[in-house]
Amino acid sequence: MTQFDQRNLSMMMDFYEMTMANGYFADHDKDTKVAFDVFYRKNPDEGGFAIFAGLEQVIEYVENMRFSESDIEYFRAQHMFSEAFLNYLRDFRFTGDIYAMPEGTVMYPDEPILTVVGSLIDAQLVETAILAQINHQSLIATKSRRICKAAAGRAVSDFGARRAHNMDAATYGARAAYIGGVVGTATVSAGQMFGIPISGTMAHSWVMFYGDEYEAFKKYAQTYPDATVLLVDTYDVIHSGIPNAIRVAHETLEPMGKRLLGIRIDSGDLAYLSKRVRKMLDAAGLPDCKIVVSNSLDEFTVASLLSQGACIDSFGIGERLITAKSEPVFGAVYKLAAVGENGEFAPRIKVSENVEKITNPGLKDLYRVYDADGHAVADLLALCGEPVDMAEPFRYVDPQKPWKNRSFEGCTVKNLRRLYVKDGKRTVELPKLDAIRDYVRQQLDTEIWEEEQRFENPHRHYLDMTPDYYEMKMGLLYETRKQHG
Amino acid sequence: MTQFDQRNLSMMMDFYEMTMANGYFADHDKDTKVAFDVFYRKNPDEGGFAIFAGLEQVIEYVENMRFSESDIEYFRAQHMFSEAFLNYLRDFRFTGDIYAMPEGTVMYPDEPILTVVGSLIDAQLVETAILAQINHQSLIATKSRRICKAAAGRAVSDFGARRAHNMDAATYGARAAYIGGVVGTATVSAGQMFGIPISGTMAHSWVMFYGDEYEAFKKYAQTYPDATVLLVDTYDVIHSGIPNAIRVAHETLEPMGKRLLGIRIDSGDLAYLSKRVRKMLDAAGLPDCKIVVSNSLDEFTVASLLSQGACIDSFGIGERLITAKSEPVFGAVYKLAAVGENGEFAPRIKVSENVEKITNPGLKDLYRVYDADGHAVADLLALCGEPVDMAEPFRYVDPQKPWKNRSFEGCTVKNLRRLYVKDGKRTVELPKLDAIRDYVRQQLDTEIWEEEQRFENPHRHYLDMTPDYYEMKMGLLYETRKQHG
């Protein structure tokens, strides 16, 4: 691990976490137990689902959380905090519990992705960094999955570092992109930190430096005879780049017993050029030479290129993946769900002027419900610890149509979440990145309906409730509205 | 400074920087001098200009650049690099020069914002990190400026950390937002690292924790009587939040001789609510109580709210600022401009299938041309060191309409760039962040035409050329096309 990973990110928080913490401290509420849920409200790009990513970094963050003397001095200089509180920060460690879906889980709006249970201050202070991490990585993992789906089995690589929103976004964005399905990244720090395969060949500057394109290609082939991929659009793809690439394949590589691995086109009409280039390469006896394309691509342009019969083996995706350009905000929020009172957790609900901002209160379990073929037919919210036994038909409530009286029949369920952090320490060994990536693929290949995966008007996955959970929510909503007008 | 700043970011690069460097090394070209220009092609959001930001971090990055033994081991494991090259990396330091505009400069498409002059390997290896830094911070500074302009003098604060693309994006994004004009940020790390004013009050969780809204407001007012800003939309703004806030103003704060500083609305119809709330507060004898609003705002919604007569004193801007949601990619590129040959720099040009991707070749100077009133009428590219004397009428070429024969008359010029790094070391003391922010404001208030600052169809700033520069470019283009078809 590099020092990149060892940073203390404790100060990456909204200042209100601290003003609230100091207030709770002053009011002797700091040790009250609470539960906060992380959830989001809308799938990016009008899609049918999202991919949960960033959990490993969340766990590292809470484990490393602490305030240095200079941090405390900085807070003191704000003239808002009591000395007792500042002193308390000196030995502060996160000692709460974290429940979450496994990283890579296919998730849906309004579901508790992750729940922090802990003392009020612990749970409040971690809000901002947890959200930033989950929002960023889930955004990119979800976008990556969409682009890989559009590529329909062709290789997709992340080329986005230079357009990322600073260094972390490049590095952790590459991690998330890999979870979502890219085969590799150009970003060295991500390769080093996470073991992601890296690739890279040449920029236009290589060709421009040597001035003569043939000379530049020849030098590259001599240096990397086993991995020669030539960038052919510095001057003119058809009249210069491809003829020079073919010449290098024949005159430089073949005498060494090597083949030209590929060419890359980074501008122009990629559909037209790729088809013409394919014919030129085939005619030159290079049918095994791969065609790589790049240039502001995303799932829509990739799908369009393939529908036009473009001859492309591999896509390099830059800015529109690493920024999730079409919708660069993943809107997960962190909401108080329950407060410890007399040894029990009392549910809390947030009403709102915007109806979609009403929260799902209380401690709860989240199940995924599978039919006999193993397809995920719905997710189910239950009271925490409530028995959910599908051996018999199981009555549930669709909260959007509560008058319907429906049952799951012949189904099985899986509890979607587990305990990852107990008293501030991780309880399980986290999976390798490749295992997370495989898990994404396995769910989409075997569990998630194809109708939820399409881009246009995807099927909405149901988030149902047990009758008891629904009753609890409705009762609390009624009481809260009565109290607050 | 925290360890956040002290990271070695040398590995945050595209892998092709390294494959090219190893190739240059093998070919004995590593010490050849070259010049690379950073420039961008299009203003974000169809705007008339952009704000240059990120220079300080670029300079820190090149000063700290080095490869550790584990970095070198990682490269060795790729089985692509010679031992001689890996050994060379061990003592690698950036020893090049960097010319740039001062941070905060108003900039336009196709201008050399920053130029790296150095040995081929030095100049190649720094590409990715320089671009990521400049692209990110310029993106956010430009977006911030737009939002602040829409707010028409009202305070704008950055609330975006939780939706930022990971930790750096929150911290450096806040820095860039401050350069662009926000009055402060909620992001503590940015406050600590850069001295930006921070602010923060309460989340919905504060209100939900206490259950009773009045109780929650009262406790907050007791804790922060000098800075009480109450979040009034947890349950119902008009029927609960504002009545409770008014009660706390009268019953808790006024007996202490304090005033209610403000209320914040985070959901609902902000135009309607703010007007009603203003009347309620005024009627309660609280005309000095400020109204702060937040909830997915940007320059367009801010302008719309104000055009509806909304009663708003201050805007908290989150996700649409920190991700520049409407256009989250700033597309600065890094292109080879010149190569040292026999003690001189020979210009290089990139032709392209896309005409707008043709580069401005060679070493060059960039001037801003001012009329007698001090307005910036155009920018001017000249050959490096070419005399530009405006005492007499000065003939220039508009490269988009080269047949026009025009002169600058009665104008003055300023060389827009200076030397910031010489032989790898900074040559000047960098300005404080507040000075950068003031410089942005001063340019926009006194130098830049209002017609370039409007959102709708802004005036295009001219980038003209001296006749000699234009001739050099045209000649090189002709030669390059002749050679490469």
Side-chain angles (χ1 to χ4, degrees):
Chain A
M1 285 298 128
T2 71
Q3 46 175 316
F4 212 95
D5 241 354
Q6 302 300 316
R7 284 179 295 164
N8 175 357
L9 299 170
S10 309
M11 297 295 271
M12 214 305 281
M13 61 161 70
D14 284 325
F15 190 50
Y16 76 9
E17 318 292 8
M18 203 47 86
T19 52
M20 288 190 281
N22 177 62
Y24 295 138
F25 188 89
D27 211 43
H28 309 294
D29 292 318
K30 70 180 178 59
D31 297 323
T32 305
K33 290 280 181 196
V34 295
F36 278 86
D37 285 335
V38 174
F39 62 92
Y40 72 103
R41 297 185 177 112
K42 193 184 147 302
N43 292 317
D45 289 313
E46 309 295 331
F49 65 93
I51 305 284
F52 174 47
L55 178 61
E56 181 175 326
Q57 283 67 42
V58 165
I59 293 171
E60 287 174 356
Y61 156 72
V62 299
E63 286 179 335
N64 290 325
M65 198 175 178
R66 61 208 58 201
F67 298 100
S68 69
E69 287 304 315
S70 66
D71 296 341
I72 292 166
E73 195 45 53
Y74 177 74
F75 287 124
R76 181 176 287 115
Q78 305 303 313
H79 303 295
M80 294 181 74
F81 304 121
S82 71
E83 277 304 312
F85 175 69
L86 294 170
N87 198 47
Y88 162 83
L89 291 181
R90 187 163 285 122
D91 295 316
F92 176 85
R93 297 289 182 276
F94 178 82
T95 59
D97 305 337
I98 295 181
Y99 298 82
M101 298 176 175
E103 205 170 349
T105 298
V106 170
M107 62 182 176
Y108 302 98
D110 301 322
E111 297 184 343
I113 305 164
L114 179 147
T115 297
V116 176
V117 180
S119 77
L120 186 50
I121 289 185
D122 285 42
Q124 191 71 66
L125 289 184
V126 298
E127 174 181 22
T128 314
I130 286 180
L131 286 179
Q133 192 64 255
I134 291 176
N135 278 330
H136 174 236
Q137 290 205 43
S138 300
L139 177 76
I140 304 302
T142 304
K143 187 68 173 178
S144 169
R145 184 64 244 152
R146 290 173 62 85
I147 295 170
C148 292
K149 181 168 180 65
R154 290 164 189 80
V156 175
S157 293
D158 160 40
F159 282 13
R162 64 192 55 199
R163 305 285 164 84
H165 290 186
N166 226 300
M167 308 303 151
D168 284 343
T171 304
Y172 296 103
R175 178 183 187 274
Y178 189 66
I179 288 174
V182 303
V183 300
T185 181
T187 305
V188 173
S189 49
Q192 184 183 31
M193 285 174 62
F194 306 118
I196 302 169
I198 58 173
S199 64
T201 54
M202 65 174 67
H204 296 111
S205 58
W206 176 276
V207 180
M208 291 164 73
F209 173 71
Y210 290 108
D212 183 83
E213 191 177 50
Y214 170 71
E215 195 67 18
F217 287 179
K218 190 175 76 173
K219 284 188 193 290
Y220 195 89
Q222 287 167 339
T223 313
Y224 302 108
D226 291 312
T228 304
V229 178
L230 301 170
L231 180 60
V232 294
D233 72 333
T234 303
Y235 303 110
D236 184 306
V237 173
I238 301 299
H239 300 100
S240 175
I242 293 297
N244 282 326
I246 289 170
R247 192 174 154 206
V248 163
H250 294 327
E251 296 180 9
T252 309
L253 289 167
E254 284 168 18
M256 301 164 75
K258 304 294 182 182
R259 304 287 296 171
L260 177 60
L261 187 61
I263 61 89
R264 178 162 74 97
I265 314 172
D266 187 44
S267 59
D269 186 317
L270 300 176
Y272 167 77
L273 288 173
S274 69
K275 286 187 270 193
R276 254 197 93 177
V277 164
R278 181 75 273 157
K279 281 191 190 139
M280 292 168 78
L281 293 171
D282 289 352
L286 300 169
D288 52 332
C289 176
K290 306 285 190 206
I291 298 178
V292 186
V293 303
S294 50
N295 192 19
S296 302
L297 301 173
D298 62 14
E299 67 270 43
F300 305 108
T301 45
V302 164
S304 166
L305 284 170
L306 296 181
S307 78
Q308 295 171 69
C311 298
I312 296 169
D313 299 288
S314 176
F315 295 94
I317 311 283
E319 60 195 38
R320 295 190 185 193
L321 168 58
I322 208 68
T323 70
K325 182 169 188 284
S326 55
E327 190 161 337
V329 174
F330 196 90
V333 297
Y334 187 83
K335 292 294 173 189
L336 184 65
V339 174
E341 290 174 357
N342 314 316
E344 304 237 315
F345 275 96
R348 287 285 193 279
I349 195 165
K350 183 185 176 301
V351 194
S352 171
E353 305 283 325
N354 304 23
V355 65
E356 72 276 10
K357 286 193 172 182
I358 296 173
T359 60
N360 285 320
L363 292 188
K364 48 201 163 294
D365 290 328
L366 175 66
Y367 293 92
R368 186 148 291 167
V369 184
Y370 300 89
D371 67 12
D373 295 330
H375 282 113
V377 295
D379 287 358
L380 180 71
L381 283 178
L383 295 172
C384 183
E386 179 185 359
V388 172
D389 178 4
M390 297 257 167
E392 299 293 309
F394 189 93
R395 193 163 69 85
Y396 68 87
V397 179
D398 175 348
Q400 309 221 342
K401 296 174 180 171
W403 60 87
K404 291 198 308 185
N405 213 349
R406 290 276 181 88
S407 300
F408 295 119
E409 300 192 21
C411 290
T412 56
V413 293
K414 184 169 72 175
N415 190 330
L416 269 188
R417 307 173 349 136
R418 58 179 296 182
L419 181 66
Y420 279 93
V421 173
K422 175 77 185 160
D423 301 329
K425 302 270 181 293
R426 73 180 76 187
T427 55
V428 288
E429 198 179 333
L430 296 176
K432 300 278 187 218
L433 195 61
D434 278 313
I436 297 172
R437 187 168 179 270
D438 291 345
Y439 170 54
V440 171
R441 190 59 183 263
Q442 172 256 312
Q443 293 168 86
L444 294 172
D445 285 351
T446 66
E447 298 180 4
I448 308 300
W449 294 108
E450 187 58 38
E451 289 75 7
E452 289 184 6
Q453 297 186 48
R454 68 186 177 219
F455 296 161
E456 306 271 311
N457 196 22
H459 176 77
R460 186 178 67 80
H461 192 83
Y462 295 110
L463 176 59
D464 297 316
M465 297 177 183
T466 64
D468 285 353
Y469 184 83
Y470 183 72
E471 266 310 300
M472 182 275 287
K473 177 170 178 173
M474 289 302 112
L476 189 64
L477 198 54
Y478 176 77
E479 289 301 323
T480 305
R481 286 209 162 121
K482 201 167 62 175
Q483 186 185 353
H484 295 281
Chain B
M1 286 297 131
T2 70
Q3 45 175 319
F4 211 94
D5 240 356
Q6 302 300 316
R7 284 179 295 164
N8 175 357
L9 299 170
S10 309
M11 297 295 270
M12 213 305 280
M13 62 161 71
D14 286 323
F15 190 49
Y16 76 8
E17 318 292 7
M18 203 47 86
T19 51
M20 286 189 283
N22 177 63
Y24 296 138
F25 187 89
D27 209 45
H28 310 293
D29 292 318
K30 72 180 176 59
D31 296 324
T32 303
K33 291 280 181 194
V34 295
F36 277 86
D37 285 336
V38 174
F39 63 92
Y40 72 102
R41 296 185 176 112
K42 192 184 147 302
N43 292 316
D45 288 312
E46 308 295 330
F49 64 94
I51 305 283
F52 174 48
L55 179 61
E56 183 174 325
Q57 282 68 41
V58 164
I59 293 170
E60 287 174 356
Y61 155 73
V62 298
E63 285 179 336
N64 291 325
M65 197 173 179
R66 60 208 58 200
F67 298 99
S68 69
E69 288 303 316
S70 66
D71 296 341
I72 291 166
E73 195 45 52
Y74 177 73
F75 286 125
R76 181 176 287 115
Q78 305 303 314
H79 302 296
M80 292 181 76
F81 304 121
S82 71
E83 276 305 310
F85 175 68
L86 294 171
N87 197 47
Y88 163 83
L89 291 181
R90 188 162 285 122
D91 295 317
F92 176 86
R93 297 291 183 276
F94 178 83
T95 58
D97 305 337
I98 295 181
Y99 298 83
M101 297 177 176
E103 205 169 348
T105 299
V106 170
M107 62 181 176
Y108 302 98
D110 301 322
E111 297 184 342
I113 306 163
L114 179 148
T115 298
V116 176
V117 180
S119 78
L120 185 52
I121 289 185
D122 284 42
Q124 190 71 64
L125 289 184
V126 298
E127 174 180 21
T128 313
I130 286 180
L131 286 179
Q133 192 64 256
I134 291 176
N135 278 329
H136 174 237
Q137 290 204 43
S138 300
L139 176 76
I140 304 303
T142 305
K143 187 70 173 179
S144 169
R145 184 65 243 150
R146 291 172 61 85
I147 295 171
C148 292
K149 181 170 180 64
R154 290 164 189 81
V156 175
S157 293
D158 160 40
F159 283 12
R162 64 192 55 200
R163 305 285 164 86
H165 290 186
N166 226 299
M167 309 303 152
D168 283 343
T171 304
Y172 296 103
R175 177 183 187 275
Y178 189 66
I179 289 174
V182 303
V183 300
T185 181
T187 305
V188 174
S189 50
Q192 183 182 33
M193 285 174 62
F194 305 118
I196 302 170
I198 57 173
S199 63
T201 54
M202 66 174 65
H204 296 112
S205 58
W206 176 275
V207 180
M208 292 164 72
F209 173 72
Y210 290 107
D212 184 83
E213 191 176 48
Y214 170 71
E215 195 66 19
F217 287 179
K218 190 174 75 173
K219 283 189 193 289
Y220 196 88
Q222 287 167 338
T223 313
Y224 302 107
D226 291 312
T228 304
V229 178
L230 300 170
L231 180 61
V232 294
D233 71 333
T234 303
Y235 303 110
D236 184 307
V237 173
I238 302 298
H239 301 101
S240 175
I242 292 298
N244 283 326
I246 289 170
R247 191 173 155 207
V248 164
H250 293 327
E251 296 180 11
T252 309
L253 289 167
E254 284 167 18
M256 302 164 74
K258 304 293 184 182
R259 304 288 295 171
L260 177 60
L261 188 61
I263 60 91
R264 178 162 74 97
I265 314 172
D266 187 44
S267 58
D269 187 317
L270 299 176
Y272 167 77
L273 288 173
S274 69
K275 286 187 271 193
R276 257 197 90 175
V277 164
R278 182 74 273 157
K279 282 188 191 140
M280 293 168 77
L281 293 171
D282 290 352
L286 300 170
D288 52 333
C289 176
K290 306 283 189 207
I291 298 177
V292 186
V293 303
S294 49
N295 191 19
S296 302
L297 301 173
D298 62 13
E299 67 269 43
F300 305 109
T301 45
V302 164
S304 167
L305 285 170
L306 296 180
S307 77
Q308 295 171 70
C311 299
I312 296 169
D313 299 289
S314 175
F315 295 94
I317 311 283
E319 61 195 38
R320 295 190 186 192
L321 168 57
I322 208 68
T323 69
K325 180 169 189 284
S326 55
E327 189 161 339
V329 173
F330 196 90
V333 296
Y334 188 83
K335 292 293 174 189
L336 184 65
V339 174
E341 289 175 357
N342 312 316
E344 304 238 314
F345 275 95
R348 286 285 193 278
I349 196 165
K350 183 184 175 305
V351 192
S352 171
E353 304 284 324
N354 305 23
V355 65
E356 71 277 9
K357 286 194 172 181
I358 296 173
T359 59
N360 284 321
L363 291 188
K364 48 201 162 296
D365 290 328
L366 175 66
Y367 292 92
R368 186 149 291 168
V369 184
Y370 300 89
D371 67 13
D373 295 330
H375 282 112
V377 296
D379 287 0
L380 180 71
L381 282 177
L383 295 172
C384 182
E386 179 185 359
V388 172
D389 177 5
M390 297 257 168
E392 299 293 309
F394 189 94
R395 192 162 70 83
Y396 67 86
V397 179
D398 174 349
Q400 309 220 343
K401 296 173 179 171
W403 59 88
K404 292 197 308 185
N405 213 348
R406 290 275 182 87
S407 298
F408 295 119
E409 301 191 20
C411 290
T412 57
V413 292
K414 183 168 74 176
N415 190 330
L416 269 188
R417 310 178 341 142
R418 58 179 295 182
L419 181 66
Y420 279 92
V421 173
K422 175 77 185 159
D423 301 330
K425 302 268 181 297
R426 73 180 75 187
T427 55
V428 289
E429 198 178 334
L430 295 177
K432 301 277 187 217
L433 195 61
D434 279 313
I436 297 172
R437 186 168 178 271
D438 292 345
Y439 169 54
V440 171
R441 190 60 182 263
Q442 172 257 314
Q443 293 168 87
L444 294 171
D445 285 351
T446 66
E447 298 181 3
I448 307 300
W449 294 107
E450 188 56 38
E451 289 75 8
E452 289 183 6
Q453 298 186 47
R454 68 185 177 219
F455 296 162
E456 307 271 311
N457 196 21
H459 175 79
R460 185 178 68 79
H461 191 83
Y462 295 109
L463 177 60
D464 296 317
M465 296 177 182
T466 64
D468 285 354
Y469 185 83
Y470 182 72
E471 265 311 298
M472 182 274 286
K473 177 171 178 175
M474 289 302 111
L476 189 63
L477 196 55
Y478 177 78
E479 290 300 324
T480 305
R481 285 207 162 122
K482 201 167 62 174
Q483 187 186 353
H484 295 282

